[in-house]
Amino acid sequence: MQYISNTTEDRQAMLKTIGVSSFEDLLKKVPNKLRHFDWKLPKGVSELELLREVVEAGKSNHHFHDFACYLGAGCYDHFIPTVVSQLAHRGEFITSYTPYQGEASQGTLQFIYEYQSMICELTAMDYSNASMYDGASSLAEAALLALRMDGRKKILIPDTVHPEYRQVVRTYLSSIDCEIVAVPMKDLSVDLEKLKSLAGPDVAAIVLQQPNFFGVLEEARQIAEIAKKAGALTIACVNPISLGVIEPPGEYGADIAVGEGQPLGNPVSFGGPHFGFFTVKADLLRKIPGRIAGATVDKQGRRSFVLTLQAREQHIRREKATSNICTNHSLCALKGAIYMSLLGPKGLRRLSLINVKNAHRTRERLLKIKGVQALSDRPFFNEFGLVIEKDQKDLALSLRKNKILGPLALDRFYPQLRSAYLIAVTENRTEGDLDRLVRAVEEA
Amino acid sequence: MSKLLFEKHSRNEAEWLPELGETEAKVLENIPQSLRRKKEARLPSVSELDVVRHFTELSQKNFCVDTHFYPLGSCTMKYNPKALDAIASLSSFSLIHPYQKADDVQGALQVLHDTERWLSEVTGMDEFTLQPAAGAHGEFCGLLIVGAYHRSKKETHKKKVLIPDSSHGTNPASAALAGYEVVQVRTDAKGHVDLADLKAKLDEKTACLMMTNPNTLGLFEEEILEIAQAVHKVDALVYYDGANMNALLGICRPGDMGFDIVHLNLHKTFAVPHGSGGPGSGPVGVKKHLAPFLPTPRIVKSGAHYAFEHDVPLSIGRLRAFYGNFGAIIRSYAYIKALGSEGLKAVSEHAILNANYLRVKLRELYEVPYDGPCMHEFVMAATRQKKKGVRALDIAKRLLDYGVHAPTVYFPLTVEEAMMVEPTETESKETLDAFVEILKKIEEEITRSPQTVLDAPHSTPVGRIDEVRAARHPDLRYHGKQV
Amino acid sequence: MDTSKLRYTETHEWVSLNGNNAVIGVTDHAQKEISDVVFVELPKAGKKVQAKDSVMVVESVKAAFDIYAPMSGTVTKANEKLSGKPELVNQSPLGDGWLYELECSDPSQFDKLLTEAQYKNVSSQAAH
């Protein structure tokens, strides 16, 4: 299948205009040595065959229409209203380019501005950029920002932050002269006493995740106060859906608030593309990475939107840029904006509460099963840990049989947490799903 | 003039969500008072119909490939086949969680594995990672691999990265992020990497040369084999910025040219749509000697079974959570499958044909500083027009009135009044001829009524935007009253 | 301002010296080249610089320009007015658009800088 529009006649006519007798004549500069190679690629197929083959390949995937997903840990099975993908997948959004030519891209620029506004409302922060790749890399960029502030070289990251996020921060900071200090956890949350002892004058930033990797709600305000006392920045990494009922980072003293935007209207899609949101308090505006859309006017005084504060970015500052980011996750942020519009303030609240209700009900029923114990009694949002004293293999088989995906075995990331599992429960989980989950655990 | 959503108000009870089924107070008992949100988030409140109208109206203000010819140099704005969108949206691929057991997602792992294999074939490299989310992310990944490689050989003094002065801005930005000092290499009078200047700047402190081929002027770097040799001689590595890969499919491969590391932009050559700025995907390919340093996890196949390999002891680590932009990757997987080897060859053939055709037809109007056969794009300069008082920027804006998105302007920085034109292979001769006619019309306007061009665009939703005001008085979010 | 008492750099900064205290700004030629200044990244008081170091950055919409130290010393203060009104650099580059003040560690460096006549040569060659 080819998507070429030139006919054979066109091709001939063009070669003639160019003044060559064959296409090969245009490749004289390419060394002959390089022209001969063995290409082991499949033969092309028609669209008919393509769809058939890909659908067939997909059959071996256990997906959410057939299985109830109790996996979370950074991306969640939330319901996405039909309007979101219908609008976001319009050709005018999906096949449009970065809005460098503002007059040809007012649609894109306005949705970015609206997205920025909505995310700031959600997080109670002052400014947002136009999106980044994901929560983990946004967190890493926040750490880089903090390290560039005034010479402090330490970043404190609790063990309760998503393990893959911590890995990403380590990778991003690996060529920088700095130190990442782990803050131990106590009862699945940040050990505040240890944090206090680690928070010295050489600390550039303290990171917290809210809710944390275990779904537990941290004492965010206290952590931010400890940071402030030490003269360090507070970087909060938050779940946007939780902000319907949980205090937003702007209220408890975060200087930078980042997080994974996937729960806002983006499908799980095996881990990507999602989007990272990046918001700051006003005094950090000029240090923000990535694109930003701003409102202004055109020559006739009409309201217009344009990419602004571009002098921070790579195409202007090159090696002195605030980040190397160019392509971002614009379309994912658009889905986020459409989703947030459909939620409205009432929807956000209700969605949050449904998640809290479903998760707490699930935990309640599971705790009644013999062999199941709480991992912590700390407050949580829509995700929690449990100890399930069953043989791991038997449990896995039983869950599969009952068409359940997850829960996540925690010893994958925390070897000391044997027989412990992480369970995420969203508004998509029904009482019927829960019956099957309970049965699966009971029967294992 | 579009109102902001915040400036509209209609009924929104979020009925797409079920009822809570309990009192709020009861559910809130689970959350300690001190952790609860006190002030409501002031999201707009509008009905579903109004949301649909709002975003549909916005979309109608955009230029896009589906509606406009978009010859943006170095962006490869080719047609994005709709079949690819449908495939990415299949439930079997979009409704799967990255932490599901490998046994339950064999289809997804097969897609990742096959894509890695095919990209290796296309580029002549040995192993790939699909983790990076974009080209710049891939560059950062590649440079971290360079560092890890040299450290493994105890060569800790290699602190410099050489980059041509015509390079894309992400190259030096990524190098700086990876802790390197950037040294610029000159472009010679013929538009190529100045080999003499390169050799003079190569020394034992050089870690890597980052470059692209064809270069940002659309010219094939004929001396690439000598360049790679010279770099390897000082124990440095050669990095290929794959932004221009659309020129090379089936013609030659970066791996054969001597490149050690390659990144590709799936949202350019491999037909993933640009999505108004993203998401894309920036896979990185390496030669065998660098494979141990690739990000973790790797995808492995034993027999007919696919799995993740998390034990990668020399890995540079992770650049993001999970495995990559799967939704973008599967589109490229399907694209390669649909085109096959013959189709991919045709891509570059027609990309080069279309670019040369335009070059030859436009050189009577515009100065083409490097006028010999080009690859998939070429640079012309609006220097003659500047003498008449009209600049590349003005021409770009006037093109919008004629329903064509402007080419890339003022890049590369080494050409004055640069306009970089990349038609791509999916455009027809008819479209290209129409483009030439439009530029001829604009040329007449420049001579007879230059103000029309200087004041352009006239027919877009807004005219020339006051960017100075936007930067001096940043207005970056809605601050007004809740309507 | 008596421009003949100023000294200049090849990178288009002007310096006015009073004892050990230098006031530094960019020339009219520079502000024309920069075009509309949209933001000025002011240096912090106490910042130590060597001659030819980049001290601060002036931004236009499409570019960022490093401003270099003509002499070595310590930054004593920056023109805070530019935070709210960056356009002063364009409107009055030698007056209200001054950038920062420096306590010089070696005032003799002043004499090695370009005189007004020498700078006029440099800037006329640079103009194209």
Side-chain angles (χ1 to χ4, degrees):
Chain A
M1 167 99 224
Q2 294 183 19
Y3 298 96
I4 306 294
S5 302
N6 286 332
T7 63
T8 320
E9 293 74 35
D10 288 334
R11 198 173 170 281
Q12 286 308 110
M14 289 164 82
L15 286 171
K16 194 160 175 229
T17 303
I18 294 168
V20 292
S21 48
S22 80
F23 172 68
E24 278 296 315
D25 291 340
L26 292 170
L27 301 177
K28 292 211 170 96
K29 284 197 191 166
V30 182
N32 213 345
K33 202 172 147 180
L34 296 175
R35 300 296 310 279
H36 308 287
F37 52 89
D38 201 17
W39 242 17
K40 291 192 210 71
L41 285 170
K43 200 165 179 296
V45 297
S46 64
E47 183 176 320
L48 185 153
E49 294 156 299
L50 175 70
L51 285 167
R52 185 196 293 147
E53 285 169 35
V54 176
V55 166
E56 190 59 37
K59 286 198 175 135
S60 57
N61 292 336
H62 291 190
H63 60 82
F64 302 167
H65 283 166
D66 297 337
F67 289 75
C69 182
Y70 283 95
L71 288 166
C75 59
Y76 302 86
D77 174 28
H78 286 288
F79 175 72
I80 302 173
T82 314
V83 167
V84 174
S85 51
Q86 290 263 325
L87 288 173
H89 285 211
R90 286 182 67 90
E92 299 93 329
F93 286 132
I94 211 174
T95 71
S96 181
Y97 184 62
T98 306
Y100 289 126
Q101 295 289 352
E103 302 86 354
S105 335
Q106 285 301 291
T108 298
L109 288 160
Q110 186 171 333
F111 87 61
I112 295 175
Y113 182 86
E114 292 181 334
Y115 157 78
Q116 285 167 191
S117 307
M118 291 186 216
I119 276 286
C120 285
E121 281 298 329
L122 214 63
T123 55
M125 300 295 283
D126 296 329
Y127 295 113
S128 166
N129 69 12
S131 77
M132 308 199 81
Y133 311 134
D134 73 340
S137 55
S138 299
L139 179 61
E141 294 260 14
L144 286 173
L145 191 163
L147 288 168
R148 288 193 197 111
M149 289 291 288
D150 56 12
R152 293 182 179 212
K153 292 193 174 172
K154 276 201 186 139
I155 302 282
L156 303 186
I157 306 188
D159 290 341
T160 53
V161 171
H162 194 308
E164 289 190 7
Y165 282 39
R166 286 184 276 131
Q167 247 189 320
V168 171
V169 174
R170 268 201 300 280
T171 302
Y172 264 70
L173 269 46
S174 60
S175 2
I176 302 210
D177 176 24
C178 67
E179 196 189 333
I180 299 173
V181 177
V183 182
M185 61 186 186
K186 191 169 132 184
D187 192 17
L188 294 194
S189 52
V190 177
D191 183 333
L192 292 172
E193 287 313 308
K194 293 253 163 71
L195 179 65
K196 271 186 204 143
S197 66
L198 289 168
D202 51 354
V203 174
I206 297 179
V207 173
L208 75 115
Q209 186 181 330
Q210 183 75 312
N212 69 24
F213 179 71
F214 303 103
V216 165
L217 293 167
E218 301 276 18
E219 290 295 340
R221 194 172 275 275
Q222 287 188 47
I223 295 171
E225 265 155 27
I226 292 169
K228 190 144 189 227
K229 244 199 182 134
L233 291 184
T234 299
I235 299 173
C237 183
V238 301
N239 176 334
I241 299 278
S242 72
L243 299 176
V245 290
I246 305 298
E247 187 170 43
E251 297 290 339
Y252 54 71
D255 298 288
I256 306 173
V258 300
E260 179 50 66
Q262 177 271 328
L264 300 171
N266 280 267
V268 174
S269 192
F270 204 50
H274 300 155
F275 73 92
F277 55 89
F278 195 108
T279 64
V280 296
K281 284 291 165 74
D283 54 339
L284 294 177
L285 173 60
R286 300 278 169 178
K287 304 213 183 306
I288 254 189
R291 301 174 183 145
I292 304 182
T296 178
V297 292
D298 74 349
K299 276 201 313 206
Q300 280 102 320
R302 289 177 287 199
R303 175 198 264 160
S304 310
F305 301 92
V306 73
L307 288 179
T308 189
L309 305 192
Q310 288 193 61
R312 298 158 302 116
E313 295 186 68
Q314 47 75 29
H315 57 294
I316 291 175
R317 279 298 173 109
R318 297 173 69 92
E319 63 263 28
K320 295 188 186 153
T322 50
S323 166
N324 71 339
I325 191 169
C326 181
T327 295
N328 60 9
H329 280 206
S330 205
L331 199 77
C332 303
L334 170 61
K335 288 183 177 173
I338 298 169
Y339 180 81
M340 286 189 276
S341 319
L342 291 166
L343 269 184
K346 288 188 186 158
L348 174 65
R349 191 150 179 83
R350 192 154 90 246
L351 172 66
S352 241
L353 289 166
I354 295 173
N355 274 259
V356 171
K357 175 184 148 199
N358 285 4
H360 286 75
R361 166 125 185 88
T362 302
R363 185 172 180 272
E364 204 185 293
R365 277 191 69 183
L366 288 171
L367 281 174
K368 293 200 174 107
I369 302 171
K370 184 157 174 262
V372 178
Q373 289 127 51
L375 196 55
S376 160
D377 288 315
R378 301 197 73 102
F380 62 94
F381 172 59
N382 69 352
E383 203 164 8
F384 55 91
L386 282 182
V387 172
I388 303 177
E389 301 280 13
K390 302 263 176 161
D391 175 78
Q392 245 194 27
K393 282 210 178 84
D394 291 342
L395 180 60
L397 278 167
S398 183
L399 289 161
R400 207 165 200 255
K401 195 179 107 192
N402 283 279
K403 301 241 184 252
I404 303 287
L405 293 175
L408 179 70
L410 281 166
D411 60 2
R412 169 185 176 150
F413 294 116
Y414 299 85
Q416 74 274 29
L417 295 176
R418 307 213 143 284
S419 304
Y421 298 84
L422 187 63
I423 297 160
V425 189
T426 67
E427 72 285 0
N428 257 352
R429 298 286 70 79
T430 63
E431 197 68 18
D433 292 336
L434 183 50
D435 288 339
R436 292 202 328 268
L437 174 63
V438 166
R439 186 164 57 234
V441 176
E442 278 172 348
E443 286 175 353
Chain B
M1 189 189 80
S2 263
K3 274 188 166 182
L4 291 171
L5 267 174
F6 290 87
E7 293 162 334
K8 299 180 183 175
H9 185 87
S10 49
R11 178 177 173 275
N12 185 344
E13 298 293 325
E15 283 151 331
W16 53 272
L17 273 175
E19 291 294 317
L20 180 58
E22 285 244 41
T23 61
E24 261 200 31
K26 187 106 202 340
V27 178
L28 275 175
E29 278 170 19
N30 293 299
I31 311 289
Q33 172 86 328
S34 59
L35 296 175
R36 292 182 206 167
R37 183 170 195 130
K38 320 257 177 330
K39 281 187 270 184
E40 197 179 66
R42 298 181 319 152
L43 290 179
S45 178
V46 281
S47 67
E48 183 169 319
L49 171 59
D50 287 340
V51 169
V52 171
R53 285 213 176 121
H54 182 84
F55 286 98
T56 304
E57 253 180 52
L58 288 187
S59 77
Q60 290 166 343
K61 295 185 177 194
N62 273 359
F63 275 48
C64 63
V65 175
D66 276 6
T67 50
H68 295 75
F69 177 43
Y70 228 117
L72 269 178
S74 108
C75 299
T76 314
M77 301 297 290
K78 66 172 77 183
Y79 169 62
N80 308 119
K82 302 305 175 195
L84 309 186
D85 293 339
I87 285 168
S89 303
L90 289 170
S91 313
S92 51
F93 286 110
S94 67
L95 299 180
I96 46 176
H97 193 286
Y99 289 153
Q100 285 178 234
K101 296 189 165 49
D103 286 344
D104 297 344
V105 287
Q106 287 292 294
L109 291 174
Q110 182 205 319
V111 167
L112 292 177
H113 177 267
D114 287 354
T115 306
E116 283 185 5
R117 286 286 93 242
W118 294 341
L119 293 180
S120 301
E121 283 300 308
V122 165
T123 53
M125 306 302 283
D126 296 324
E127 308 265 356
F128 255 86
T129 173
L130 301 173
Q131 209 185 89
H137 213 201
E139 288 171 14
F140 183 46
C141 175
L143 289 164
L144 288 178
I145 290 174
V146 169
Y149 172 73
H150 287 129
R151 274 194 304 278
S152 76
K153 296 173 79 193
K154 310 278 191 271
E155 287 166 344
T156 49
H157 51 284
K158 290 192 173 291
K159 297 256 187 265
K160 295 200 264 188
V161 169
L162 268 48
I163 302 178
D165 54 12
S166 56
S167 80
H168 193 274
T170 53
N171 290 175
S174 304
L177 195 61
Y180 288 105
E181 185 196 317
V182 173
V183 176
Q184 276 198 349
V185 179
R186 278 199 298 266
T187 301
D188 68 19
K190 293 223 178 99
H192 297 283
V193 167
D194 187 329
L195 189 55
D197 192 42
L198 172 66
K199 285 186 171 159
K201 288 175 174 159
L202 278 170
D203 63 18
E204 74 287 347
K205 292 211 183 95
T206 310
C208 174
L209 165 69
M210 285 180 91
M211 62 181 282
T212 183
N213 191 11
N215 59 30
T216 55
L217 294 161
L219 305 170
F220 190 86
E221 292 279 3
E222 306 165 75
E223 296 183 300
I224 185 60
L225 292 166
E226 284 117 285
I227 290 172
Q229 235 177 31
V231 175
H232 286 144
K233 218 165 170 195
V234 296
D235 278 323
L237 297 172
V238 205
Y239 178 99
Y240 180 71
D241 177 336
N244 292 324
M245 194 65 209
N246 215 46
L248 301 184
L249 300 172
I251 292 172
C252 58
R253 309 187 304 178
D256 300 331
M257 294 176 203
F259 285 98
D260 302 287
I261 313 176
V262 151
H263 90 254
L264 295 170
N265 300 67
L266 296 188
H267 45 294
K268 294 187 181 186
T269 314
F270 294 94
V272 171
H274 283 80
S276 308
S281 176
V284 168
V286 296
K287 289 285 173 65
K288 271 201 180 59
H289 57 290
L290 298 173
F293 307 103
L294 285 167
T296 178
R298 305 293 319 282
I299 314 287
V300 293
K301 184 178 183 188
S302 56
H305 188 263
Y306 302 93
F308 288 112
E309 177 55 77
H310 291 275
D311 184 23
V312 189
L314 296 176
S315 166
I316 53 169
R318 269 186 169 282
L319 292 152
R320 42 92 60 77
F322 315 127
Y323 319 119
N325 283 352
F326 185 78
I329 294 163
I330 193 174
R331 282 174 160 94
S332 295
Y333 163 84
Y335 182 69
I336 295 170
K337 221 168 146 47
L339 267 59
S341 48
E342 290 311 303
L344 289 170
K345 283 193 189 131
V347 165
S348 290
E349 191 176 307
H350 284 267
I352 293 170
L353 188 64
N354 282 354
N356 278 285
Y357 181 69
L358 279 182
R359 174 181 62 84
V360 162
K361 293 209 77 166
L362 290 175
R363 66 185 169 196
E364 9 170 312
L365 287 176
Y366 287 87
E367 190 192 320
V368 179
Y370 306 100
D371 191 17
C374 60
M375 299 296 281
H376 66 316
E377 67 189 5
F378 68 98
V379 176
M380 57 193 200
T383 39
R384 297 177 201 158
Q385 290 73 12
K386 188 175 175 190
K387 294 199 176 93
K388 297 186 193 169
V390 173
R391 303 177 59 218
L393 179 69
D394 307 309
I395 297 163
K397 299 300 182 194
R398 186 61 180 146
L399 275 166
L400 300 181
D401 288 330
Y402 283 96
V404 174
H405 192 282
T408 303
V409 290
Y410 302 107
F411 180 77
L413 304 169
T414 46
V415 175
E416 197 198 330
E417 298 298 325
M419 296 175 78
M420 193 196 297
V421 180
E422 181 186 355
T424 83
E425 75 283 3
T426 53
E427 300 294 340
S428 69
K429 177 174 174 294
E430 203 171 79
T431 304
L432 303 183
D433 287 336
F435 178 57
V436 173
E437 288 312 302
I438 289 169
L439 284 171
K440 283 191 179 146
K441 283 211 182 82
I442 294 177
E443 196 60 29
E444 260 177 65
E445 287 173 356
I446 290 173
T447 310
R448 275 170 238 236
S449 56
Q451 209 55 42
T452 317
V453 183
L454 292 168
D455 291 340
H458 305 278
S459 61
T460 45
V462 300
R464 291 239 191 153
I465 298 172
D466 189 346
E467 297 185 291
V468 172
R469 173 176 159 151
R472 279 191 185 153
H473 308 288
D475 172 358
L476 309 173
R477 59 170 290 196
Y478 181 72
H479 276 298
K481 279 186 184 314
Q482 182 143 37
V483 170
Chain C
M1 183 183 288
D2 181 0
T3 56
S4 66
K5 290 229 171 74
L6 301 176
R7 287 279 202 256
Y8 301 83
T9 65
E10 272 162 8
T11 44
H12 310 286
E13 289 95 7
W14 57 260
V15 193
S16 158
L17 191 66
N18 200 345
N20 267 4
N21 190 54
V23 182
I24 291 136
V26 290
T27 62
D28 188 52
H29 173 94
Q31 72 79 15
K32 282 202 186 104
E33 199 188 291
I34 294 170
S35 80
D36 295 298
V37 175
V38 298
F39 179 70
V40 179
E41 201 183 276
L42 296 167
K44 284 206 181 95
K47 182 172 176 156
K48 288 192 163 55
V49 294
Q50 293 297 308
K52 301 224 169 120
D53 279 354
S54 168
V55 180
M56 55 180 281
V57 180
V58 168
E59 289 177 16
S60 67
V61 169
K62 294 279 189 236
F65 300 85
D66 285 294
I67 308 299
Y68 300 96
M71 302 160 66
S72 309
T74 310
V75 175
T76 49
K77 75 181 207 231
N79 186 356
E80 298 296 331
K81 274 214 195 106
L82 298 178
S83 297
K85 294 193 91 194
E87 56 267 33
L88 286 173
V89 178
N90 298 113
Q91 290 163 2
S92 175
L94 268 65
D96 287 333
W98 65 273
L99 296 176
Y100 66 98
E101 288 187 20
L102 196 70
E103 189 186 303
C104 304
S105 52
D106 179 8
S108 73
Q109 288 176 329
F110 186 72
D111 301 313
K112 300 201 183 89
L113 298 172
L114 302 174
T115 61
E116 189 170 33
Q118 289 168 330
Y119 177 67
K120 280 210 169 87
N121 255 348
V122 166
S123 60
S124 64
Q125 274 171 22
H128 54 267

